[in-house]
Amino acid sequence: MRAITIVGEGELELVELPEPTPGPGEVLVDVVAAGVNRADLAQAAGQYPPPPGASELPGLEVSGRRRDTGEEVVALLAGGGYAEVVAVPEGQLLPAPEGMGLIDAAGVVEAAATVVSNLVLEAGMREGETVLVHGGTGGIGTVAIQLAKGMDARVLTTVGSDDALPIVAQLGADQAWNRRIIDLPDAVREAGGTDVILDVVGGSALADNVAMLNEGGRLVIIGTLGGASGELPIGQLMAKRARVIGSTLRSRPVENKAAILEATRYLVWPLLASGELQVPIHERLPLTEAARAHEILRTGGHLGKVILEVEKSADGHRRGRRRRSA
């Protein structure tokens, strides 16, 4: 099979590799497309190695067809998605969402499972609460805004430019700010504070995040774009009886991921089928342009997901079609 491997810090190369051999409880999936995530960039930079026993190839989510049944599925992976074939624990598969093409479905499961596990299962987001989503135009941000709104929460978010403000408003954000020009803690305090924060920034935002929390608030940190350490104002945290939750999805055991995926199917799949929740696709690129896909995420300013697409050609190889979303 063809696959993308990491050959140096930030460097990707297309290679020929043997197909994976499925272990106990695993099935083979012929990959149609793979979603691109910031975790892939961190792995390529040597900052986020795969868990023990996982594939060394990048790629945390794919869409494709089960080789044993032919069923169209999406898969949540610990690694290996930038390839023509993956071996996946059966508990980490879901049927492809109704109402979506199989290529675009490659960008759904990681973001949806991340949002469900962190906003719902970890933070216990409830109807009527206020949620602040950092980075509202990213793959996770766009899903988080729509799911929180669909669960009758009030949604605040940040974006990187004024041009993005109407976009996140259309997704359902009640208030949004350009993080480059606003004093965010002041703006959020004026908006009444927030009960839950979904944070991809990490260390540099830690103190501000705690300052923005209401009494009993929950801060869920799922990324470290602003650094892996920061100063925690413990006095404020205690006075507010607030909680800071650190969370990752990739390294969880299979049974834990299976439970998260069941919750994701229950909460998100009906919204996808009805069109109430949509995953914007910024660009679709062939597998051979994985480095270009990484550059898009590294540069920022994109809306939604970037997809690596593969398809079979007459000679039996899978080749990508370049196509921009409408």
Side-chain angles (χ1 to χ4, degrees), residues 147-303:
L147 180 61
K149 198 64 181 176
M151 296 180 68
D152 295 320
R154 176 170 169 257
V155 183
L156 316 176
T157 192
T158 64
V159 295
S161 70
D162 287 346
D163 291 342
L165 293 172
I167 295 171
V168 292
Q170 188 173 11
L171 292 174
D174 295 285
Q175 286 185 260
W177 301 278
N178 181 345
R179 64 179 179 271
R180 303 184 191 278
I181 61 174
I182 195 76
D183 185 319
L184 186 62
D186 280 349
V188 172
R189 278 193 292 266
E190 289 179 10
T194 185
D195 303 299
V196 178
I197 299 176
L198 186 64
D199 177 40
V200 297
V201 180
S204 64
L206 186 56
D208 283 349
N209 280 331
V210 173
M212 292 185 287
L213 286 174
N214 291 331
E215 187 174 303
R218 290 86 72 199
L219 165 63
V220 189
I221 303 172
I222 62 171
T224 57
L225 291 175
S229 62
E231 184 173 333
L232 177 66
I234 297 174
Q236 286 187 49
L237 193 71
M238 294 170 64
K240 294 180 177 184
R241 298 189 301 281
R243 286 179 285 154
V244 177
I245 303 164
S247 179
T248 63
L249 183 59
R250 184 182 193 182
S251 59
R252 294 179 188 240
V254 172
E255 57 271 18
N256 193 281
K257 289 180 181 177
I260 291 170
L261 287 182
E262 278 305 307
T264 301
R265 184 178 184 181
Y266 174 77
L267 291 170
V268 179
W269 261 224
L271 298 177
L272 289 169
S274 68
E276 295 175 69
L277 189 152
Q278 299 181 7
V279 180
I281 305 299
H282 178 79
E283 190 162 357
R284 305 170 186 88
L285 297 168
L287 182 64
T288 53
E289 293 191 33
R292 166 66 181 145
H294 280 206
E295 184 59 30
I296 292 172
L297 266 65
R298 189 178 297 112
T299 301
H302 58 286
L303 173 65

